[in-house]
């Protein structure tokens, strides 16, 4: 696809393309709209509110007050503790399901999720299992997951994305979003910045797919246009979000919400994540935390985006051709690869899923040779196409810095060498073609990591 000349669709067009969310109301005093939204989009006779102690104070009370006296029964509320920070553990989903099931005529009840990404994901999955459409009242522009069709939950001992339906309606109050703690808005900024790599990886995947690479879909112009053409402007206009600027946080939330609509449209995470999220998936499996608190998804993704940008720049550094394969490197057999991945992830829950993905994306020798030849032969054009979309590392770092995101691994409790070790594991994860797979196929993966480790610019 031509990734140069694109048009930005309106929010109404993005909503039309989304299969599950029917309305996004993003404004000041959105609470007064809630009764009408419930009547127009749900036809429900009762609601049940879910929040945690912090988000209840931030927006729960006002949501409930707005519903009182309008002929909709408030069937109850469940408020999780504010401290320690709520985990997206599946046991909380079961807790909510049990609470709903004892309501008289629960099938006429609309769940309302008042909170951040975690409260939303818990309600999203509970509502999905009960086949109930739900209303989301977000309290921070912290993740793109509000409007995604899946939820990131800790199940069977590891964090995984499980299927469930996105909220039918999102009612976001810009004053509430602006007052959210700075670290939440900067997390949302990190998650939005990751779409830069999602874009460059999609360009790479489309090309590799034409030579037979697995899970390397061609670019879908509708989903692409929903995210990519306006991305850098959205980021530039959102940098003040973590400082409580209302307009900035509004732009940030809209940018994040639209990426969810693109996922709803295309039914995959291809438009919204690439290699940078693979770094964060590794840290999620390893429960990365700092001073006892889990590092937020968006902060992990910010460091993942810097790492993936550095890797992409190093891969495409030479205009005359790709980096040479490291001498003596040989593509492993299936058995060797399986042993390699199992050794990297050890006894961790979730290891089996990684082994499965790594084997799915282990192509045969002929396909690997075809992919390598294709990139060598069209190096000039593919390089230009990727670099035209990639925000240079120095500019990305400056942008993330303005938005109060972490800029070096140490800020999220990691060392430089941890990034190198994570890159190796990230390449094994998820069957979704990225720059890491291309480099691994070409045999130059380790030489790029060596350059990354030796660099006095990247990740410093
Ligand atoms: Zn994300």
């Amino acid at each position: 696809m031509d990734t140069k000349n694109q048009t930005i669709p309106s929010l109404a067009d993005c909503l039309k393309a989304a299969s599950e969310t029917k309305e996004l109301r993003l404004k000041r005093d959105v609470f007064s709209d809630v009764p009408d939204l419930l009547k127009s989009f749900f036809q429900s006779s009762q609601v049940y509110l879910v929040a945690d102690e912090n988000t209840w104070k931030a927006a729960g009370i006002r949501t409930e007050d707005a519903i009182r006296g309008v002929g909709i029964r408030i069937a109850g509320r469940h408020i999780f503790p504010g401290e320690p920070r709520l985990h997206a553990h599946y046991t909380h989903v079961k807790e909510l399901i049990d609470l709903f099931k004892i309501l008289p005529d629960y099938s006429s009840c609309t769940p309302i999720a008042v909170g951040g990404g975690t409260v939303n994901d818990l309600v999203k999955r509970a509502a999905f299992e009960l086949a109930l459409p739900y209303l989301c009242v977000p309290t921070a522009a912290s993740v793109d997951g509000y409007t995604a069709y899946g939820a990131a939950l800790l199940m069977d001992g590891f964090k995984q994305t499980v299927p469930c339906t996105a909220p039918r309606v999102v009612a976001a109050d810009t004053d509430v979003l602006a007052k959210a703690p700075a670290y939440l808005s900067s997390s949302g900024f990190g998650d939005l910045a990751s779409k830069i790599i999602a874009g460059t990886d999609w360009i790479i995947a489309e090309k590799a797919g034409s030579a037979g690479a697995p899970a390397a879909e061609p670019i879908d112009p509708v989903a692409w246009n929903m995210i990519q053409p306006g991305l850098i402007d959205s980021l530039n206009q959102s940098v003040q979000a973590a400082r409580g600027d209302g307009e900035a946080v509004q732009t940030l939330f809209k940018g994040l919400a639209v990426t969810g609509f693109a996922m709803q449209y295309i039914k995959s995470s291809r438009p919204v994540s690439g290699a940078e999220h693979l770094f964060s998936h590794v840290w999620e499996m390893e429960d990365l935390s700092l001073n006892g608190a889990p590092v937020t998804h968006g902060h992990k993704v910010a460091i993942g985006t810097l790492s993936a940008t550095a890797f992409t720049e190093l891969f495409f550094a030479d205009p005359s051709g790709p980096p040479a394969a490291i001498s003596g490197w040989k593509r492993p057999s299936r058995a060797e690869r399986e042993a390699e991945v199992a050794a990297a992830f050890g006894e961790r829950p979730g290891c089996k899923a990684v082994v499965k993905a790594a084997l799915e994306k282990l192509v045969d020798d002929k396909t690997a040779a075809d992919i390598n030849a294709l990139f060598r032969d069209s190096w000039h054009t593919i390089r230009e196409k990727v670099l035209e979309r990639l925000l240079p590392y120095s500019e990305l770092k400056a942008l993330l810095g303005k938005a109060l995101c972490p800029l070096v691994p140490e800020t999220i409790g990691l060392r430089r060498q941890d990034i190198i070790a994570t890159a190796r594991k990230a390449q094994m994860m998820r069957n979704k073609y990225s720059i890491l797979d291309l480099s691994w196929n070409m045999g130059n993966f380790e030489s790029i990591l060596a350059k990354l480790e030796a660099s006095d610019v990247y990740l410093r």
Side-chain angles (χ1 to χ4, degrees):
M1 176 191 142
D2 173 15
T3 48
K4 248 183 182 163
N5 304 308
Q6 317 124 4
T7 44
I8 304 174
S10 67
L11 181 59
D13 285 340
C14 294
L15 272 165
K16 232 179 266 166
S19 53
E20 291 155 11
T21 303
K22 304 295 171 209
E23 175 70 322
L24 166 64
R25 208 57 70 81
L26 176 61
K27 60 190 278 252
R28 293 186 81 173
D29 190 26
V30 83
F31 301 103
S32 55
D33 290 15
V34 169
D36 276 347
L37 292 170
L38 285 168
K39 286 174 187 164
S40 310
F41 292 95
F42 295 91
Q43 291 89 38
S44 52
S45 55
Q46 50 177 345
V47 296
Y48 192 99
L49 294 104
V50 181
D52 68 32
E53 285 168 343
N54 304 318
T55 63
W56 181 253
K57 273 185 226 143
I61 296 166
R62 287 170 73 190
T63 306
E64 192 178 88
D65 284 351
I67 299 164
R68 218 173 261 133
V70 300
I72 297 170
R73 192 172 98 87
I74 297 166
R77 66 187 76 86
H78 184 70
I79 303 171
F80 289 103
E83 290 294 330
R85 211 183 286 166
L86 184 64
H87 276 256
H89 205 293
Y90 186 70
T91 50
H92 296 316
V93 172
K94 282 205 271 191
E95 210 177 319
L96 292 176
I97 291 172
D98 290 344
L99 286 168
F100 277 106
K101 279 196 169 160
I102 53 170
L103 295 174
D105 191 20
Y106 79 82
S107 60
S108 70
C109 187
T110 299
I112 302 182
V114 183
T118 304
V119 167
N120 184 60
D121 276 353
L122 296 174
V123 175
K124 193 191 285 189
R125 179 65 192 190
F128 173 74
E129 290 194 27
L130 295 165
L132 297 173
Y134 81 100
L135 173 80
C136 166
V137 179
T139 51
S142 50
V143 279
D144 65 8
Y146 289 112
T147 51
Y149 68 89
L153 295 173
L154 191 68
M155 273 169 93
D156 305 325
F158 69 105
K159 194 87 170 268
Q160 44 187 306
T161 305
V162 296
C164 43
T165 312
R168 182 173 286 179
V169 173
V170 178
D173 187 276
T174 45
D175 287 341
V176 169
L177 298 180
K179 281 187 199 134
Y183 79 93
L184 290 176
S185 304
S186 64
S187 296
F189 191 91
D191 217 6
L192 187 60
S194 77
K195 309 320 171 212
I196 300 169
I197 297 295
T200 54
D201 268 351
W202 206 353
I203 293 171
I204 290 163
E206 177 176 70
K207 190 80 182 167
S210 68
E217 314 81 351
I219 294 175
D220 178 281
V222 174
W224 177 273
N225 284 348
M226 281 163 82
I227 297 174
Q228 292 297 332
L231 180 57
I232 300 298
D233 282 348
S234 290
L235 287 167
N236 279 318
Q237 290 160 21
S238 306
V239 283
Q240 296 295 333
R243 292 187 174 83
D245 181 290
E247 268 179 46
V249 89
Q250 187 163 348
T251 305
L252 176 59
F253 190 86
K254 188 179 152 209
L256 291 167
V258 166
T259 67
F261 299 153
M263 279 179 73
Q264 290 183 31
Y265 162 75
I266 204 167
K267 301 275 183 289
S268 91
S269 62
R270 171 57 82 184
V272 306
S273 72
E276 80 300 326
H277 267 77
L278 299 177
F279 282 81
S280 73
H281 293 329
V282 173
W283 297 325
E284 263 144 33
M285 272 181 83
E286 293 174 351
D287 280 333
L288 179 64
S289 46
L290 188 64
N291 306 324
V295 177
T296 64
H297 172 72
H299 284 178
K300 285 181 276 209
V301 168
I303 294 296
T305 303
L306 284 162
S307 307
T309 298
F311 194 97
T312 307
E313 276 191 3
L314 288 167
F315 182 85
F316 287 105
D318 186 350
S320 64
I326 201 155
S327 75
W329 188 82
K330 200 180 127 285
R331 286 166 35 75
S333 67
R334 285 181 75 79
E336 286 165 344
R337 184 63 170 158
E338 188 171 349
E340 211 172 272
V341 178
F345 285 87
E347 295 299 303
R348 267 179 201 290
C351 177
K352 263 191 194 153
V354 184
V355 169
K356 185 170 173 275
L359 292 180
E360 275 167 4
K361 61 184 181 178
L362 183 67
V363 294
D364 58 38
D365 288 346
K366 184 189 175 299
T367 309
D370 288 350
I371 296 168
N372 296 352
L374 179 69
F375 276 82
R376 278 207 174 81
D377 294 348
S378 54
W379 182 250
H380 179 72
T381 45
I382 188 74
R383 179 178 179 274
E384 199 172 280
K385 207 171 173 182
V386 169
L387 294 184
E388 192 257 328
R389 292 300 315 172
L390 187 74
L391 191 64
Y393 184 88
S394 55
E395 290 178 36
L396 172 69
K397 189 178 172 187
L399 198 61
L400 290 170
K402 279 190 216 158
L404 309 181
C405 288
L407 304 176
V408 289
E410 289 74 12
T411 316
I412 61 165
L414 294 168
R415 301 157 304 167
R416 278 175 65 73
Q417 59 264 44
D418 294 325
I419 301 291
I420 308 301
T422 301
R424 290 191 186 104
K425 290 183 192 167
Q427 191 278 319
M428 296 168 175
M429 290 189 93
R430 308 275 168 112
N431 185 14
K432 180 174 171 190
Y433 210 80
S434 78
I435 180 75
L436 304 180
D437 296 312
L438 175 62
S439 166
W440 191 83
N441 266 327
M442 294 187 114
N444 55 39
F445 187 71
E446 285 297 331
S447 63
I448 291 178
L449 289 187
K451 282 182 200 157
L452 187 58
E453 195 163 19
S455 162
D456 49 17
V457 176
Y458 295 128
L459 301 163
R460 290 192 187 273

